[in-house]
Every structure is written in structure tokens, then in C-alpha cells.
Amino acid sequence: KASTTPSSSSPSSSSGSSGGGGGGGGAGIPSNVGAMAARQWDTLAAGSSASLTINNEKIAVTSVIIEVKNTLSSPSITVETLPSKPASIPDASQIVYQYIQLTKANIADLDANKITINFKVQKSWLTSNIVAENDVVLFRYNDNKWNSLPTTKMSSDTNNIFYQSATLGFSNFAIGAKDVSPPAETPAILPEQSAPHDSAENSIGVS
């Protein structure tokens, strides 16, 4: 038995208030301040799996699936969108689609064998930010740094590209573009210059 709190508290009704969203840059991030979805279970048996399915245009995550390692009593998970990254941490990427916070209760990270996160990105955002479909990645903030997670493009529809990623724990996440580092500059190799020819040497012995 489980109870679900579907995407609840939308922000205030002003649709233009997402200007501070996605502190990592990028335009066209959906108005998503404070959108939230949660689910609680009475119990989860070891070896089972549990999922939170989300159908909210303001939340990029479409589902979270937990593979349970240890039996859990009254566990719950919550997915919340963040208007911008927490001030205490750096940008996840130069171009960020959405910052997300994944929290849990009565679940330790070691209680899950794997956590699968499915999410979507609007095609219009990819186009406006010049991001290739295969360059989208899910980042997780852990050990005081952002770590890119293995991310696979799964499918698409008229408006969205759907992706899947996996993580071992709960924390802050970001959906964004892979940072492409410019190639390292190679110092220019100048041709060796011969020492100036001393005409006085040639004059030795000339009477």
C-alpha cells in the first residue's frame, strides 16, 4: 500500500518568475519553481522495486525507481524542482535545464541497490541552447562536487526527448549539457634561429 502526493505546490501564478532559474545558464527553462511530487509506502521488501511516477510538465523527472536491498518500513521519496542551484554549491554545467532535489525518509543510501531516474527535456530548449540530443546528462552533487552520471537517450515524442540515468544515492541533481572543454593549447614551436654570423671571423687571416 502506498500513498502518493502528485505534483503539488506550484509557485505563484506569475508565469514570468523563472528568471532566476537554472543558475548554470541556458534559456527557456520551464516555469518550475517549487513543483513537487512524493510517494510513501507502508513497507518495501528486500529484493523488490518501488517507483514514483510523475506526470507534471513543471518537473523534468518522469519517474524514480528504487531497487530495494533491505526491507524498509514507511519509506518515502520526494522529488522537488529548484528555482536555481543552492547558493553554496557551484554550477553543475555551463547550460542547465533544471535543478532537482531528490530526498527520502526511512531509506539509507545503502538500502538501495540502484536508483533509476527517468527524465525528459523539451526539444525547443535543446534547439534554443544549441545542445545536441546526445549531449544531455544528469549530474549528481556528491562529495562536494558535481559528478556526471551515465545517461542514455531512450525515446522521443513530438515535444520531448526522454532519458534514463542511474545513481546510488539521494541528493541534489541537475539536468544539463555536457561541458565540452576546448582543446588544450599547444605552444607554438618556433624554428631555431642560428646565431648571427660574425663577419669578423671570416676576416681573420685576410691581409
Side-chain angles (χ1 to χ4, degrees):
K1 180 181 177 181
S3 59
T4 305
T5 304
S7 51
S8 52
S9 58
S10 289
S12 61
S13 57
S14 81
S15 59
S17 60
S18 62
I29 296 174
S31 175
N32 57 15
V33 181
M36 181 267 286
R39 184 172 183 180
Q40 182 175 8
W41 295 264
D42 290 338
T43 184
L44 290 175
S48 65
S49 62
S51 64
L52 165 62
T53 301
I54 304 171
N55 185 16
N56 186 335
E57 289 303 316
K58 295 181 179 180
I59 303 177
V61 173
T62 57
S63 69
V64 179
I65 304 168
I66 304 173
E67 294 182 10
V68 181
K69 180 179 181 180
N70 304 312
T71 299
L72 303 172
S73 179
S74 300
S76 66
I77 58 174
T78 302
V79 176
E80 293 178 286
T81 61
L82 302 175
S84 62
K85 69 175 181 62
S88 60
I89 63 179
D91 294 334
S93 169
Q94 294 178 358
I95 306 176
V96 173
Y97 181 67
Q98 190 173 84
Y99 284 99
I100 300 159
Q101 183 171 262
L102 179 59
T103 57
K104 82 304 193 202
N106 299 321
I107 307 174
D109 285 351
L110 294 178
D111 289 331
N113 285 318
K114 185 174 71 171
I115 303 164
T116 300
I117 300 175
N118 294 294
F119 63 94
K120 62 186 176 183
V121 174
Q122 293 176 355
K123 290 180 177 180
S124 59
W125 181 87
L126 296 172
T127 300
S128 63
N129 288 277
I130 318 176
V131 176
E133 294 178 2
N134 292 325
D135 285 343
V136 171
V137 68
L138 183 68
F139 298 91
R140 181 193 177 203
Y141 192 75
N142 189 41
D143 293 333
N144 297 315
K145 64 181 184 295
W146 286 103
N147 303 282
S148 61
L149 301 174
T151 303
T152 303
K153 175 185 169 185
M154 304 299 291
S155 62
S156 65
D157 62 15
T158 303
N159 299 315
N160 302 287
I161 307 294
F162 296 88
Y163 299 89
Q164 184 176 91
S165 188
T167 181
L168 296 176
F170 299 79
S171 58
N172 290 315
F173 294 83
I175 299 167
K178 296 177 183 177
D179 283 333
V180 179
S181 301
E185 291 186 3
T186 303
I189 301 176
L190 300 175
E192 294 185 4
Q193 296 182 353
S194 56
H197 194 68
D198 191 345
S199 58
E201 293 179 2
N202 292 335
S203 64
I204 296 176
V206 177
S207 56

